[in-house]
Amino acid sequence: MALLHSFFLSAGECVSGSMVLAVAMSIASYFLIPMVFGGRHKNWKNAPPGPVGWPILGSLPHLSNRLHEDFFHMAKIYGPLFSLNLGIKPAIVVSSPEMAAQVLKEREGMFSSRTITETIRVISYDAHSIIFSPYGPRWKVLRRILITELLSPKAFEQFEPLRTSQVHGLLKYLYLVSKSNTQVNIAEYAFTALANLVSNFVCSKDLFDNSMPEGRKMKERFWELIKVIGTPNFSDLIPIVKPFDPQGLKRKINKIFGQLDAFYEKLIEERLAEKGKAQLDGTIPYKRKMDMLDVLLSYESNDKENGLDRLPKSIVKGMLSEMFIAGTETTSSTVEWGMAEILRKPSVLKKLLLELDQVVGKDRFVVESDIPKLAYLQAVVKEVFRLHPGVPLIIPRRTNEACEVAGYHIPKHCIVYVNVWGMARDPNVWEDPLEFKPERFIGSSVDVKGQDFNLLPFGTGRRSCVGWPLAHRMVHYYLAALLHAFQWESPPDVLNDLGERVGLTIQKGKSLLSTPKPRLPASVYER
Ligand code: HEM
């Protein structure tokens, strides 16, 4: 019910009373039609088990804005594959590793498109960019570009100095902060550092420079954008209310995104001008490494099949937009969860510090090449990804065609949720599922790379997270570097409150505020 409640609250904030009344009356009149023609079970034959739901609203009155939790409880009643209607949209929820393998591996081709929401349509330039493109030639081109040009092992290694300078820069900055004995918001610092890392990968600039007003503004715009995208929008589920935009989310996103669009436009124009000038002067255009913008703007193909001889500006802008959205908060909130879980478990912290001091010593910062030698850290990170998958329902997929799963009929364009958050809490999948116990991964080959269906923080298969090597590396790197360089003191109520805040990703409800105290000689920070 909280979902509907929050809808009416936000509707009340955003639109006039008469508009709310008009929407309510439209919904009420629409009730009559399905009452006459019947509910979900009549128009979805041989559906997987699930609640019958209300006319028009389907199961919305029974859901909160914490869908991953609601679905976890519903799976206990209806089983590992259940169905429901969200508004008038059919949806299925997958809640066991076996069922996830059936859907995401055995019938991968049927489940490889995405569900698009109203706000996502805006930020992805009408689903023309990589994350939300339907499975097809355009998506293939974009994915290939990212994998072969920007996230290939070679390109990945080329960006190593950049990652090191971001992480070490953060440690040095925190050292200065530590002198004033001040609390820091770990997620916020990690977000800024990661956003700058992504912005360098994308356009070779520190766009989120905290010391500059423009950088702070950029960060604020992104936080706002992420908040709006993470709000459930009834227009997506009950199309009749769409023209009214009752929660005002479309208006909000258009306003914020309008500014970002102008910014992307400027970035592209500047880059094209730089390229044009270099051609005129006969100079080599780039002294720096090729970034994503260079690669996308110089893309040319005569492959008739993909229909893209060049990439239109809307796709280039969509790629910029999606990289910031996919690559920042996901990783920074994982770092925050990791810090919270480690700091509240002294036995884990002790083992980790012992390992770090043995491998790294105390006369330098952690570097990336230390990570493969830190076996316990690797187990800790798997456990963080298990209990706190940033995207708890992966990014909802959508069926390309009608198909059958486990003998049930799944309609075309059905919303598909895979509850990786729920699987992490299921005692049939994990022993002591709620315990933060990195030891469970010691000597185990289970990994987060998409082969083990009980651990899918990055999804799996052809639509799996393309940025996972970067995210995986950065979570290890940040956790190791922050814990090795500082001792952290947090108020116990903040540390021990593991409540969640739901947005685009699942964040720690009470931000982790902590005071850093240097663990290494001053010369290491001042170098
Ligand atoms: C801890 C951090 C991250 C988590 C938990 C995460 C999680 C995910 C998940 C669950 C998916 C959907 C997978 C599926 O449908 O099977 C996804 C897709 C994606 N992610 Fe990530 N991600 C993270 C970081 C990143 C980073 C750093 C980038 C890029 C710089 C990135 C770029 C993408 C893209 C482009 C897709 C869409 C791939 C496609 O549809 O082909 N992600 N991510």
Side-chain angles (χ1 to χ4, degrees), residues 114 139 143 326-327 330-331 334 397 457-460 463 465-467 471:
R114 298 266 185 224
W139 167 81
R143 182 140 180 138
T330 44
T331 316
T334 311
R397 303 272 189 106
F458 296 108
T460 181
R463 297 289 320 225
C465 177
V466 77

Side-chain angles (χ1 to χ4, degrees), residues 58-272:
S59 291
L60 293 180
H62 306 293
L63 298 172
S64 68
N65 62 349
R66 312 170 89 81
L67 284 186
H68 57 295
E69 274 181 34
D70 298 336
F71 291 164
F72 173 60
H73 296 303
M74 287 165 87
K76 290 184 198 156
I77 305 168
Y78 300 110
L81 176 70
F82 68 87
S83 62
L84 73 167
N85 267 16
L86 294 175
I88 62 163
K89 305 267 169 135
I92 57 166
V93 181
V94 171
S95 309
S96 75
E98 297 73 26
M99 208 49 85
Q102 280 207 37
V103 167
L104 299 177
K105 190 175 174 192
E106 286 161 34
R107 285 175 185 64
E108 187 180 19
M110 295 294 167
F111 289 87
S112 50
S113 286
R114 298 266 185 224
T115 295
I116 313 294
T117 64
E118 279 272 279
T119 50
I120 290 293
R121 203 169 278 292
V122 176
I123 60 124
S124 64
Y125 294 84
D126 204 14
H128 271 55
S129 185
I130 179 167
I131 305 184
F132 298 100
S133 262
Y135 178 68
R138 183 179 58 226
W139 167 81
K140 279 190 192 157
V141 168
L142 297 175
R143 182 140 180 138
R144 198 172 47 231
I145 293 177
L146 278 185
I147 289 181
T148 57
E149 307 269 356
L150 293 157
L151 290 160
S152 66
K154 188 169 157 235
F156 192 71
E157 286 321 314
Q158 280 184 346
F159 279 103
E160 187 274 328
L162 181 67
R163 294 190 293 271
T164 300
S165 89
Q166 290 286 341
V167 174
H168 291 186
L170 175 62
L171 298 180
K172 288 180 180 187
Y173 184 70
L174 287 171
Y175 175 66
L176 295 180
V177 174
S178 74
K179 291 186 175 170
S180 56
N181 205 23
T182 317
Q183 281 187 338
V184 298
N185 179 333
I186 292 183
E188 209 181 310
Y189 277 82
F191 178 89
T192 308
L194 277 156
N196 280 327
L197 187 67
V198 173
S199 78
N200 272 285
F201 162 79
V202 160
C203 60
S204 305
K205 286 185 180 178
D206 274 351
L207 294 180
F208 295 79
D209 185 350
N210 251 346
S211 59
M212 308 290 284
E214 200 34 55
R216 287 197 293 273
K217 205 180 247 169
M218 188 75 179
K219 202 164 121 186
E220 276 160 27
R221 275 184 205 141
F222 259 91
W223 280 113
E224 244 184 292
L225 187 77
I226 285 171
K227 204 168 129 202
V228 179
I229 305 169
T231 307
N233 187 352
F234 278 70
S235 299
D236 294 321
L237 305 172
I238 310 174
I240 187 182
V241 304
K242 202 185 268 188
F244 303 105
D245 185 23
Q247 290 155 282
L249 294 176
K250 183 115 189 253
R251 285 192 294 280
K252 266 192 199 163
I253 201 91
N254 279 334
K255 187 167 167 231
I256 310 167
F257 200 70
Q259 295 162 348
L260 286 169
D261 176 69
F263 179 76
Y264 298 145
E265 191 80 36
K266 192 166 150 240
L267 266 184
I268 294 172
E269 289 310 322
E270 280 173 7
R271 186 60 61 88
L272 287 173

Side-chain angles (χ1 to χ4, degrees), residues 354-372:
L354 198 70
E355 182 178 74
L356 282 164
D357 290 344
Q358 268 169 6
V359 173
V360 184
K362 285 198 154 182
D363 56 357
R364 64 174 175 88
F365 289 145
V366 176
V367 289
E368 279 194 8
S369 56
D370 294 320
I371 295 170

Side-chain angles (χ1 to χ4, degrees), residues 382-389 424 430 433 435 440-441 455:
K382 283 183 192 172
E383 185 65 341
V384 176
F385 277 125
R386 185 187 73 84
L387 264 180
H388 303 288
W430 297 99
E435 271 283 296
R440 70 175 87 237
F441 289 108
L455 192 63

